[in-house]
Amino acid sequence: METSQFEIDLGNLFAFNPHHQFSSLPSSREELVKECLEKGTELVQAIANTLFNLPSTEDVDGPLVKLPPPTTRLPREKPLPKPKPPTKWELFAKARGIKNRKKDKISYDEPTGTWKRRYGYDRANDEENIPIIEAKITDEPGEDPFAKRQADKKKRVEKQDKNRLQNLKQAAKVGALPSHVQLAATALPITGTQTAPKKVTKDELVSVAGIAASATASGGKFDKKLPGEKPAQHKGKYRKFLPVVEGKGIGSQEKEQTEKVLNKLISKNSHEILNVDKAVTMYNVKKEKRKNQKGKSSATSSKLKPNTKPHKKSANKGSSSSKKGSSSSKKGSFKKTKAN
């Protein structure tokens, strides 16, 4: 196999055999596929042989070869972009012979006597930084020159924006919109494609308007309605809540529902909720604590009991008084123990 008969373009890794001709009437499809594979293998081998003849540099991943510039001009994937239509200013400049000249990025600032950038922040000859404006003969008395300057600037910006939109409309008619505008407007087809713009249906507009209205904090309740605009449609089911106040009929459903859920939980986990052995031991412990508290209270009461015996004045009187005191003390102790 001689590689001289092949046309090889290493820039595109492309090889072509101009001398090969397929038979006009192949005997079968299998033989045609087999012949194509054989010729394709020869072309790939010719490209590999030419690549290995080029000077290479060693790398960690293996030898690297720098490809020469391509010699074959391949067709474009996308069609050529259409030329943009000239704007009004371009037509006017062409008619008057005006040529655009490139301005410097810096200019001389007269108030400060320094060189500053022409546009942007801290630019030269900025009108907003001038503290004093000289009066002119044409100025109207009582008019604020600073407010007038702001109004004039606003008008210039609006005029420029209007002209920009007009130029985009003219370019859209020809089909030469800029790529960034085409990407922003998803409904517009890309230049050169055959896809027609998608028409938005009425239902899609209504759904989008409903989503935008429900995105507010009030759910679109206090939004201003356009003339003829219908309220937003609510898709899905509303969540229903039972009344909180008890009463007849539907008012008692919440209580029944709660009791039903509790009974279901108790019936499922009754063995975990009540432990009989633990309950009996807790009852016995509490009973013993009560007995101990009773014993302690009686002992403390006897210790703190006051001495009611009076001083002996005579033998007879003392005996009678002592008897009375003993009887009263007995009664008091009896009552105290009974109360405990």
Side-chain angles (χ1 to χ4, degrees):
M1 181 185 64
E2 297 180 0
T3 58
S4 58
Q5 61 181 352
F6 300 145
E7 294 181 2
I8 300 173
D9 181 11
L10 289 180
N12 293 321
L13 295 177
F14 168 76
F16 174 66
N17 186 3
H19 305 290
H20 179 263
Q21 292 181 357
F22 288 98
S23 57
S24 59
L25 293 173
S27 58
S28 63
R29 184 176 178 82
E30 287 77 8
E31 291 183 0
L32 180 62
V33 172
K34 186 179 179 181
E35 186 179 358
C36 289
L37 289 174
E38 289 178 357
K39 298 301 178 182
T41 305
E42 292 178 1
L43 293 173
V44 172
Q45 187 63 44
I47 294 173
N49 294 338
T50 312
L51 278 175
F52 279 97
N53 291 331
L54 292 176
S56 61
T57 57
E58 292 295 332
D59 192 29
V60 179
D61 299 328
L64 294 179
V65 176
K66 185 177 181 181
L67 297 178
T71 57
T72 307
R73 299 184 65 181
L74 298 177
R76 286 173 57 92
E77 182 184 0
K78 302 288 184 182
L80 289 171
K82 296 181 180 179
K84 296 180 183 179
T87 61
K88 285 186 177 181
W89 165 251
E90 290 175 352
L91 293 173
F92 177 77
K94 187 177 180 181
R96 296 294 181 91
I98 301 173
K99 295 182 180 180
N100 291 332
R101 56 186 180 84
K102 191 174 181 181
K103 295 181 180 180
D104 296 331
K105 291 184 179 180
I106 58 174
S107 62
Y108 184 74
D109 187 21
E110 294 180 358
T112 59
T114 57
W115 292 88
K116 293 185 178 181
R117 67 187 75 186
R118 187 179 295 274
Y119 305 105
Y121 174 73
D122 193 20
R123 60 183 177 271
N125 302 320
D126 190 3
E127 296 178 353
E128 296 179 359
N129 292 336
I130 298 175
I132 300 172
I133 300 176
E134 295 181 2
K136 299 179 182 178
I137 302 174
T138 57
D139 292 345
E140 296 182 4
E143 186 179 14
D144 187 3
F146 295 96
K148 183 182 177 182
R149 180 176 289 176
Q150 290 289 337
D152 293 343
K153 182 179 179 181
K154 189 175 181 181
K155 288 180 181 178
R156 291 197 305 269
V157 172
E158 289 177 354
K159 184 181 178 181
Q160 184 67 21
D161 198 11
K162 184 180 177 181
N163 293 338
R164 184 180 64 84
L165 294 176
Q166 192 68 26
N167 293 333
L168 288 176
K169 287 180 182 179
Q170 294 292 335
K173 290 179 181 179
V174 185
L177 276 174
S179 59
H180 64 278
V181 178
Q182 294 183 30
L183 292 174
T186 54
L188 296 175
I190 304 298
T191 304
T193 57
Q194 301 296 327
T195 56
K198 181 183 177 182
K199 293 183 179 180
V200 183
T201 61
K202 184 180 178 181
D203 296 334
E204 291 178 355
L205 290 174
V206 171
S207 63
V208 170
I211 291 169
S214 61
T216 57
S218 62
K221 184 178 179 181
F222 303 104
D223 293 347
K224 293 181 180 179
K225 302 291 182 183
L226 297 173
E229 184 182 359
K230 296 181 180 179
Q233 299 178 357
H234 179 79
K235 294 183 179 181
K237 297 181 180 180
Y238 286 95
R239 187 178 177 185
K240 296 181 180 179
F241 297 92
L242 295 173
V244 180
V245 182
E246 294 186 3
K248 296 180 181 180
I250 198 170
S252 61
Q253 286 186 3
E254 186 177 5
K255 186 177 180 182
E256 294 176 0
Q257 187 177 3
T258 308
E259 289 179 353
K260 188 177 180 181
V261 173
L262 288 173
N263 292 331
K264 192 174 181 181
L265 291 171
I266 291 170
S267 63
K268 280 185 177 180
N269 305 319
S270 60
H271 62 284
E272 297 178 1
I273 293 173
L274 182 62
N275 191 348
V276 179
D277 297 335
K278 190 174 182 180
V280 170
T281 53
M282 288 178 68
Y283 176 76
N284 294 333
V285 169
K286 286 182 179 180
K287 194 174 181 181
E288 290 179 0
K289 284 183 178 180
R290 287 175 185 172
K291 287 181 180 180
N292 295 334
Q293 286 177 1
K294 285 180 181 179
K296 289 180 180 179
S297 62
S298 61
T300 53
S301 63
S302 61
K303 287 180 181 179
L304 297 173
K305 184 171 64 174
N307 189 8
T308 56
K309 291 181 180 182
H311 297 285
K312 293 181 180 181
K313 292 182 180 181
S314 61
N316 294 329
K317 289 181 180 179
S319 61
S320 62
S321 62
S322 63
K323 287 180 181 178
K324 286 181 182 178
S326 62
S327 63
S328 63
S329 63
K330 285 180 181 177
K331 286 181 182 179
S333 63
F334 176 73
K335 286 180 181 178
K336 209 165 192 179
T337 54
K338 191 174 183 179
N340 291 331

